[in-house]
Amino acid sequence: MKNNQSLCLISPLFVPADRPDRIGKALVSGADAIIVDLEDAVAPENKIQARNNLETLEKKRQCPLYIRVNDVNSDWFHDDIAAVALSSADGIILPKAEDAQSIRTLLELAAKQFPVIPLIETAVGLDNLAEIMRQDTVSQVAFGSLDFALDLNCSHTWEALLMARSEIILRSRLTGLVAPLDGVTTELDDMGEVEKDAKRALGLGFGGKLAIHPKQVLCIKKIWFPSSEELNWATRVMDAVKGGSVARIDGAMVDRPVIEKARRLLEAGAGHE
C-alpha cells in the first residue's frame, strides 16, 4: 500500500490551452491547481497552436499547473508529451487512462518523473484501476463522469454512476492514495447545482472536484472546508473528552470514531485559515 500524501487537490480548474489569456485569470481564482487542457476543450484544428502555447507558461506562479494531454491512442499524444516535457508544467492529467502501461509510456516519452493524475473515464479503466493506482507517480486519480457515462451508454446521473464512484473511492483508500477528485458539473450559472454535486461527492468520500469555470472554484472549496458550525461542534467534542475517551454531546454518545472525525475537522480548519 502507498502512503503518498504529496498531492491532494481540492478544486483544480480547467483552462483551454488555446486561450492563454485565461490562464492569468485562473491563477487568481482561488483554485489549488490549474489544468491547461489540450484535449476536449481544444478543437482539432487548434491543437498545434494550443500545444505551442505551452512554451509561454510562466515559471513563477501561485499554484501548480498541470497539462491535460490527449489520450495515449490519439494522433496528438506523442507531440503533446514532447511539448509538456519542455514546458514548466508541474504534472500531467492523463485522460481515458486504461492501464499501467499508458502511464509508463507517458513517462518514458517525457523522460521525466511527472506527477500523473489518471482520469478514469471508461469501463476498462475502472477494471484496471488497481494497477493504474500502483504506479509510483500516481498519488491521486480523478473520475471523468461524462465520458464514463458515454462509454457505458448510461445516464449521467448519480444513481447510474454510484458504483463507479464508490469503486474509485474504495480503491484509492486500499492503495493508499489521497481521496480522488470527482468529475465536473457542466452547469455554469446555477451554483446551487454545483454545490449539490459537491456535497454528494464529499459525502461519498471524494477529496475534491474538478472545476470548469472560475466561479465554481470557491463554491467547491466552501464545501470541502469545514463550516463554523462544524468547527464549533468539533471543538466541543474535543473539550468534552479531555481526560477520558467517551462523552455525551447533544444527547449523542461520543466515542473514538466521533473523536477522530472532530480531530480531522479541526486539522482541516487550521489548514485553511
Side-chain angles (χ1 to χ4, degrees):
M1 174 185 283
K2 292 185 182 183
N3 186 17
N4 190 344
Q5 300 298 311
S6 61
L7 173 72
C8 186
L9 302 181
I10 295 175
S11 56
L13 172 63
F14 281 104
V15 179
D18 59 349
R19 293 296 306 273
D21 55 301
R22 295 184 180 179
I23 295 177
K25 296 177 182 178
L27 286 169
V28 296
S29 67
D32 52 10
I34 305 303
I35 302 172
V36 178
D37 191 10
L38 293 171
E39 196 212 14
D40 285 347
V42 179
E45 61 270 21
N46 295 332
K47 296 285 189 184
I48 294 176
Q49 183 57 56
R51 191 184 302 125
N52 291 340
N53 289 340
L54 300 185
E55 299 175 3
T56 67
L57 296 177
E58 295 182 8
K59 292 181 172 59
K60 294 182 179 180
R61 45 186 175 254
Q62 299 95 317
C63 64
L65 195 149
Y66 288 73
I67 310 297
R68 178 164 72 170
V69 297
N70 288 275
D71 72 84
V72 68
N73 294 314
S74 72
D75 294 334
W76 304 289
F77 178 73
H78 284 70
D79 289 337
D80 284 356
I81 299 303
V84 172
L86 295 174
S87 75
S88 63
D90 298 298
I92 295 176
I93 309 292
L94 180 63
K96 298 176 181 64
E98 293 193 328
D99 53 38
Q101 183 56 49
S102 62
I103 297 172
R104 291 194 289 268
T105 298
L106 181 161
L107 295 172
E108 288 168 5
L109 289 172
K112 182 178 178 180
Q113 289 296 99
F114 278 107
V116 178
I117 298 179
L119 268 169
I120 306 305
E121 301 184 283
T122 66
V124 173
L126 188 66
D127 192 42
N128 293 328
L129 191 55
E131 69 169 67
I132 291 170
M133 288 178 166
R134 283 195 293 267
Q135 300 308 293
D136 289 342
T137 60
V138 174
S139 59
Q140 189 174 30
V141 301
F143 183 40
S145 57
L146 290 166
D147 279 292
F148 192 88
L150 183 64
D151 187 52
L152 267 65
N153 195 29
C154 69
S155 300
H156 187 251
T157 62
W158 276 83
E159 292 78 11
L161 299 176
L162 179 59
M163 178 277 294
R165 282 187 163 99
S166 299
E167 183 73 7
I168 291 170
I169 292 164
L170 176 64
R171 292 296 168 188
S172 292
R173 179 71 185 99
L174 290 174
T175 314
L177 272 63
V178 297
L181 291 161
D182 194 25
V184 303
T185 297
T186 56
E187 177 59 58
L188 298 177
D189 296 319
D190 184 1
M191 290 303 101
E193 192 67 23
V194 178
E195 184 173 328
K196 183 172 69 173
D197 284 350
K199 285 181 177 178
R200 285 172 168 170
L202 174 63
L204 278 178
F206 280 98
K209 180 175 173 62
L210 299 167
I212 55 172
H213 193 280
K215 62 185 178 183
Q216 291 184 341
V217 170
L218 294 182
C219 181
I220 292 169
K221 291 176 74 173
K222 180 181 70 174
I223 299 304
W224 264 272
F225 295 172
S227 66
S228 57
E229 291 80 9
E230 289 175 316
L231 293 175
N232 178 267
W233 171 85
T235 299
R236 291 170 58 216
V237 168
M238 299 308 290
D239 288 343
V241 298
K242 287 179 179 177
S245 59
V246 178
R248 179 185 175 100
I249 294 287
D250 299 332
M253 184 181 73
V254 174
D255 56 5
R256 188 192 60 79
V258 178
I259 296 168
E260 178 60 19
K261 179 180 179 181
R263 185 188 64 78
R264 292 182 184 183
L265 283 171
L266 292 173
E267 285 184 354
H272 299 302
E273 290 178 351

